[in-house]
């Protein structure tokens, strides 16, 4: 009877009332057996009785959720225990002492059978529109670890991120979408293990479908689902940052956890059968190989179906569209997602590059994908922090980078604009350091990006100099006001709301300590900035969605875009060569609502003549640390190195 219950699909461990079906893809001619571990950790070996298209499978009766298992494989004369690539959970945090030997594999983390039953309490997905989305990049442990109102046993955990105090913070400050740094199971690289460090960010996938146990007190599966449910209850989306471009097995000489032992063709290989390294991590997943494509798609459906995840940010996503050395926007991966009834409805964000040939693909991803816009980051930082004469490029970026992302495909094809990301300086460090300070990483400051486009404003790092502090705070406001009111989906590093500094470390991937943990003890300046940016987020959500929708699609041409000099005259071609004080006016239809941006990147105050009509409401003036409700009508004196955003309703709405 039980033999009839054995099935090749789905792959992995699938529970039913009678027991569990185990299925694994293995085209190599190596002995392979299922290993079940009893409570005394004694292994029980079971033959895989069936084979269908290189999928070995069997049904084992009376198996319950929580059963620990793995697969015995004899590889090059070594008897090794490997993980199920489709494992839904791990029994412990993955760790070993290098090198990873066959003997160590039996003491390593093991796969766990999971029952995905969960009470979602009827909570619907928030389904936030693209024009209303603000992505807040967040590390599960890093953001909640030091929160003063966090229960100690939940700090740094999935449950810690959805505690009432944390949810109250998100709601108060207008946070409607969390993009979590990787929460799939992760294995630290051998060089970190040798230094007694960990991969804190998590960009080194072990098992794609298993949640990282580091962030759970007992059961990572249930606790992660609880976190998502409670965030959804309060209208907050959850996007996963996920890594499919490489795995923790690395390149030649790297450890064997599963894929390498089962089928080396999961990875891209050169003519000599060596691993291609288009990721900087030693190996590159080959999505032209059908089993690789299958597990990636199965993984995405797993997270959406079982965990109600709202979307994904794909690390080094150009790899996913590769056919050998070339990127192809018509790749099978993109086609498969576009036709998938589960995946085509979630948010898809690409980091549109890798380090291989043909790797930089900003603007090339198909419809249905948003893309991280590094040109926006570099341009805006250069304009405000480096005082480069790049106003034409600056104007293009704040208007939505329409040279790369056609407004005819907005709002679903809006670029994801950002100033700071997990890799690079935090906002506070951008205005506090001229150079990176990564010595704590143990690589003699050789790691991390050298092109930071930062400005310490007169002192490197911490200072009590009041003038320096004022300049830094003003520049933070310039950067964030520009980001929030540009056309696009703003991406905000969550710790930037707290003015968190990493001490100048721009590559804190291995710093599971106070360098990376959000510092909730705000200074006076930090508290003022949090109040300011909270106000700005709420104003952005009140004003910008209407303008984004108006400037999207086929009817966008009927609205007004006017670039002006400070004297009120329209800019000429000559003005674009080096003007320091200029204005942008956006208007809906012929006489609808209007937005006015005053940019003054000069070192002297400049008086602007304002367009005639009703009074303008001042949304913000970045020269001021606090918002004062006031209006302007005919002219406005703009302080040096600052900007002001003004808004006025259409004439009809202003009638008494």
């Amino acid at each position: 009877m039980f033999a009839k219950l054995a099935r090749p699909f789905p792959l992995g461990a699938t529970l039913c009332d009678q027991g569990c079906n185990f299925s694994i893809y293995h085209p190599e001619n190596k002995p392979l057996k299922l290993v079940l571990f009893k409570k005394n950790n004694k292994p029980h070996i079971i033959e895989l009785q069936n084979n269908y298209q290189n999928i070995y499978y069997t049904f084992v009766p009376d198996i319950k959720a929580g059963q620990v298992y793995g697969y015995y494989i004899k590889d090059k004369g070594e008897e090794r225990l490997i993980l199920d690539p489709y494992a839904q959970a791990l029994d412990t945090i993955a760790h070993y002492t290098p090198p990873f030997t066959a003997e160590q594999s039996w003491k390593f983390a093991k796969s766990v059978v999971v029952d995905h039953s969960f009470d979602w309490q009827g909570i619907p997905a928030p389904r936030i529109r693209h024009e209303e989305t603000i992505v807040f990049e967040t590390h599960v442990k890093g953001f909640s670890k030091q929160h003063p109102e966090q229960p100690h046993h939940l700090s740094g955990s999935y449950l810690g991120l959805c505690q009432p105090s944390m949810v109250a913070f998100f709601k108060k400050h207008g946070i409607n979408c969390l993009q979590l740094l990787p929460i799939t199971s992760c294995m630290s690289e051998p060089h970190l293990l040798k230094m007694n460090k960990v991969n804190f960010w998590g960009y080194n996938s072990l098992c794609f479908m298993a949640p990282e146990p580091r962030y759970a007190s007992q059961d990572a599966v249930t606790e992660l689902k609880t976190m998502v449910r409670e965030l959804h209850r309060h209208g907050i989306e959850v996007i996963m940052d996920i890594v499919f471009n490489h795995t923790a097995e690395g390149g030649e000489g790297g450890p064997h956890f599963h894929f390498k032992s089962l089928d080396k063709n999961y990875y891209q290989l050169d003519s000599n059968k060596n691993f291609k390294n288009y990721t900087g991590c030693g190996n590159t997943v080959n999505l032209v190989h059908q089993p690789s494509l299958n597990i990636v798609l199965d993984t995405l459906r797993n997270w959406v179906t079982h965990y109600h995840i709202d979307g994904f940010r794909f690390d080094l996503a150009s790899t996913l569209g590769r056919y050998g050395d070339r990127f192809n926007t018509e790749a099978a991966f993109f086609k498969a997602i576009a036709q998938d009834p589960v995946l085509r409805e979630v948010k898809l964000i690409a980091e549109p590059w890798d380090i291989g040939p043909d790797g930089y693909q900003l603007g090339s991803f198909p419809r249905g994908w948003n893309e991280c816009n590094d040109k926006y980051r570099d341009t805006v930082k250069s304009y405000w922090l480096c005082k480069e004469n790049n106003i034409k490029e600056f104007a293009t970026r704040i208007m939505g980078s329409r040279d790369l992302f056609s407004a005819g495909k907005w709002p679903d094809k809006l670029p994801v604009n950002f100033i700071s990301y997990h890799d690079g300086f935090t906002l506070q460090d951008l205005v506090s350091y001229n150079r990176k300070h990564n010595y704590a990483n143990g690589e003699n400051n050789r790691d991390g990006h050298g092109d930071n486009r930062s400005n310490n404003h007169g002192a490197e790092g911490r200072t009590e100099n009041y003038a320096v502090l004022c300049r830094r705070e003003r520049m933070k406001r310039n950067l964030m006001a520009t980001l929030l009111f540009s056309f696009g989906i703003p991406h905000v590093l969550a710790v930037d709301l707290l003015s968190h500094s990493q001490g100048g470390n721009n590559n804190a991937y291995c710093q599971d300590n106070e360098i990376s943990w959000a510092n909730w003890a705000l200074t006076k300046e930090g508290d003022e900035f949090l109040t300011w940016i909270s106000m700005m987020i709420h104003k952005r959500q009140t004003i910008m969605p209407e303008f984004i929708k108006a400037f999207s699609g086929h009817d966008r041409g009927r609205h007004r875009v006017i670039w002006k000099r400070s004297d009120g005259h329209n800019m000429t071609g000559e003005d674009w060569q080096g003007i320091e004080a200029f204005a942008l006016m956006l208007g809906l239809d012929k006489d609808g609502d209007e937005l006015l941006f005053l940019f003054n990147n000069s070192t002297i105050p400049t008086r602007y003549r304002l367009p005639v009509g009703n009074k303008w409401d001042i949304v913000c003036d970045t020269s001021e640390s606090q918002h004062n409700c006031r209006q302007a009508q005919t002219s406005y004196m703009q302080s040096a190195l600052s900007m002001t955003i003004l808004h006025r309703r259409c004439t009809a709405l202003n009638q008494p």
Side-chain angles (χ1 to χ4, degrees):
M1 181 184 84
F2 293 121
K4 294 182 179 180
L5 294 174
R7 305 286 296 173
F9 297 106
L11 292 170
T14 306
L15 274 176
C16 69
D17 292 341
Q18 292 88 354
C20 186
N21 188 73
F22 294 89
S23 177
I24 187 169
Y25 172 73
H26 175 53
E28 301 287 338
N29 186 24
K30 303 172 186 175
L32 182 73
K33 298 177 182 180
L34 174 66
V35 183
L36 302 180
F37 291 88
K38 299 180 179 180
K39 289 185 177 179
N40 60 5
N41 216 33
K42 184 177 179 180
H44 176 51
I45 297 179
I46 297 176
E47 298 288 338
L48 294 166
Q49 303 160 334
N50 310 287
N51 179 9
Y52 173 75
Q53 296 183 3
N54 294 324
I55 296 172
Y56 291 82
Y57 61 99
T58 190
F59 186 89
V60 182
D62 301 323
I63 297 293
K64 305 295 182 185
Q67 172 67 57
V68 177
Y69 73 101
Y71 286 94
Y72 160 92
I73 192 167
K74 194 168 185 178
D75 187 6
K76 296 180 180 179
E78 295 182 323
E79 296 183 332
R80 182 180 295 273
L81 185 73
I82 62 171
L83 288 160
D84 181 357
Y86 275 74
Q88 300 280 307
L90 301 182
D91 69 333
T92 189
I93 298 172
H95 183 78
Y96 69 92
T97 301
F100 188 68
T101 62
E103 181 182 0
Q104 284 212 50
S105 71
W106 292 85
K107 304 172 186 177
F108 190 63
K110 299 173 180 63
S111 309
V112 178
V113 175
V114 169
D115 178 1
H116 274 297
S117 299
F118 183 75
D119 183 8
W120 287 97
Q121 299 178 4
I123 304 298
R127 296 189 180 278
I128 298 169
R129 298 177 184 273
H130 284 83
E131 65 270 20
E132 297 173 352
T133 299
I134 303 180
V135 174
F136 287 83
E137 189 182 24
T138 312
H139 190 284
V140 169
K141 181 176 182 178
F143 202 62
S144 67
K145 178 66 177 176
Q146 298 191 110
H147 192 284
E149 300 177 29
Q150 192 75 246
H152 180 71
H153 68 288
L154 296 180
S155 63
S157 69
Y158 297 121
L159 295 181
L161 204 62
C162 65
Q163 289 301 295
S165 59
M166 194 64 71
V167 170
F169 177 86
F170 296 148
K171 298 289 286 184
K172 179 178 180 180
H173 300 297
I175 296 174
N176 63 12
C177 179
L178 297 184
Q179 178 180 296
L180 304 180
L181 269 71
I183 55 175
T184 54
S185 59
C186 165
M187 183 66 244
S188 298
E189 294 85 345
H191 78 276
L192 291 178
L193 296 174
K194 292 175 183 178
M195 294 189 294
N196 199 29
K197 295 181 182 293
V198 300
N199 188 318
F200 178 67
W201 287 350
Y203 289 92
N204 208 36
S205 301
L206 184 57
C207 290
F208 295 141
M209 300 185 190
E212 173 54 52
R214 280 186 290 177
Y215 311 137
S217 56
Q218 294 182 348
D219 177 5
V221 171
T222 300
E223 292 173 32
L224 176 54
K225 290 178 180 179
T226 302
M227 182 201 78
V228 175
R229 183 189 67 195
E230 295 309 304
L231 291 173
H232 279 185
R233 189 189 303 276
H234 295 278
I236 300 169
E237 287 187 332
V238 178
I239 291 177
M240 285 179 60
D241 195 334
I242 200 159
V243 183
F244 290 128
N245 56 79
H246 76 283
T247 75
E249 292 189 304
E252 302 297 335
H256 286 225
F257 297 126
H258 38 54
F259 289 149
K260 281 183 177 178
S261 296
L262 293 167
D263 179 11
K264 200 174 182 181
N265 291 304
Y266 274 109
Y267 303 113
Q268 289 193 25
L269 306 173
D270 61 24
S271 58
N272 296 317
K273 299 298 182 180
N274 294 317
F275 295 103
K276 290 185 178 180
N277 182 16
Y278 295 158
T279 65
C281 301
N283 57 4
T284 305
V285 174
N286 181 18
L287 263 66
V288 175
H289 189 46
Q290 188 67 51
S292 298
L293 180 61
N294 289 350
I295 192 171
V296 166
L297 293 170
D298 290 344
T299 296
L300 295 174
R301 280 190 294 268
N302 171 76
W303 288 111
V304 176
T305 302
H306 294 310
Y307 293 86
H308 293 198
I309 293 298
D310 301 289
F312 302 93
R313 180 264 189 189
F314 296 84
D315 183 64
L316 299 183
S318 291
T319 296
L320 308 181
R322 280 191 174 279
Y323 191 93
D325 290 344
R326 311 305 298 177
F327 175 86
N328 186 356
T329 190
E330 302 293 327
F333 174 68
F334 301 134
K335 297 292 188 182
I337 283 187
Q339 64 79 43
D340 191 290
V342 174
L343 301 179
R344 65 191 178 195
E345 293 192 22
V346 302
K347 287 186 170 76
L348 304 169
I349 300 173
E351 183 182 43
W353 54 78
D354 63 19
I355 67 169
D358 205 26
Y360 189 75
Q361 292 295 331
L362 180 66
S364 300
F365 279 69
R367 194 79 179 263
W369 288 74
N370 302 104
E371 301 174 42
C372 300
N373 188 359
D374 65 321
K375 286 188 179 295
Y376 181 94
R377 172 201 64 194
D378 293 346
T379 300
V380 174
K381 288 198 299 185
S382 294
Y383 177 78
W384 284 117
L385 298 175
C386 304
K387 287 189 65 63
E388 289 187 6
N389 182 17
N390 64 343
I391 61 168
K392 288 189 289 186
E393 181 82 1
F394 181 72
T396 300
R397 300 302 152 225
I398 63 177
M399 284 301 298
S401 298
R402 291 181 292 179
D403 57 332
L404 298 166
F405 306 97
S406 170
K409 299 178 182 178
W410 293 357
D412 57 291
K413 192 58 180 170
L414 286 167
V416 177
N417 297 328
F418 63 99
I419 301 296
S420 49
Y421 231 88
H422 64 273
D423 52 345
F425 279 149
T426 65
L427 178 66
Q428 187 64 43
D429 287 351
L430 270 176
V431 300
S432 304
Y433 292 90
N434 282 348
R435 58 188 183 277
K436 62 183 181 179
H437 297 262
N438 297 356
Y439 293 99
N441 297 351
E443 300 180 44
N444 294 318
N445 208 35
R446 293 191 299 268
D447 62 304
H449 210 297
D451 182 16
N452 294 296
R453 308 190 189 199
S454 58
N455 189 331
N456 68 16
H457 295 92
E460 187 75 356
R462 296 184 63 178
T463 182
E464 299 298 324
N465 186 303
Y466 181 74
V468 172
L469 293 175
C470 287
R471 288 195 291 270
R472 290 176 177 178
E473 292 303 310
R474 175 179 296 198
M475 204 53 65
K476 285 162 59 179
R477 294 191 293 271
N478 285 337
L479 292 167
M480 296 311 295
T482 305
L483 174 65
L484 290 172
F485 281 83
S486 292
F487 284 85
I489 298 172
H491 169 287
V492 179
L493 190 61
V495 294
D496 285 348
L497 272 67
L498 306 175
S499 299
H500 177 76
S501 170
Q502 294 179 168
N505 192 324
N506 74 349
N507 189 36
Y509 75 105
C510 58
Q511 299 300 325
D512 187 3
N513 50 47
E514 287 82 359
I515 292 176
S516 298
W517 300 343
N519 182 3
W520 292 83
L522 301 184
T523 62
K524 175 180 177 294
E525 292 82 10
D527 188 60
E528 288 181 346
F529 179 74
L530 177 59
T531 300
W532 179 88
I533 195 170
S534 175
M535 177 271 295
M536 287 297 295
I537 289 170
H538 286 290
K539 286 184 174 291
R540 187 268 178 197
Q541 297 296 62
T542 300
I543 296 171
M544 281 305 293
E546 178 185 17
F547 279 84
I548 290 174
K549 286 188 291 184
F551 281 86
S552 301
H554 297 297
D555 295 333
R556 62 190 184 278
R558 73 170 190 256
H559 305 293
R560 292 165 285 151
V561 180
I562 306 172
W563 298 92
K564 292 179 173 291
R565 301 196 305 245
S566 59
D567 62 8
H569 291 96
N570 291 352
M571 288 175 60
T572 65
E574 186 177 349
D575 291 328
W576 285 100
Q577 302 308 310
I579 196 170
E580 291 186 306
F582 64 98
L584 163 63
M585 192 180 83
L586 303 173
L588 303 185
D589 297 306
K590 292 183 178 180
D591 55 2
D593 291 4
E594 294 173 327
L595 264 178
L596 182 63
F597 299 80
L598 311 180
F599 297 102
N600 183 13
N601 204 17
S602 72
T603 56
I604 58 174
T606 301
R607 182 169 295 280
Y608 285 74
R609 182 173 295 279
L610 305 182
V612 297
N614 295 329
K615 291 183 178 180
W616 294 87
D617 294 318
I618 298 175
V619 177
C620 80
D621 182 337
T622 61
S623 68
E624 302 169 349
S625 62
Q626 297 179 349
H627 176 69
N628 299 304
C629 293
R630 64 186 194 279
Q631 294 180 316
Q633 186 160 14
T634 58
S635 67
Y636 191 84
M637 179 62 77
Q638 185 64 51
S639 298
L641 299 173
S642 64
M643 63 178 284
T644 287
I645 301 172
L646 305 99
H647 178 240
R648 67 181 175 189
R649 296 292 181 185
C650 66
T651 304
L653 294 178
N654 282 278
Q655 295 299 323

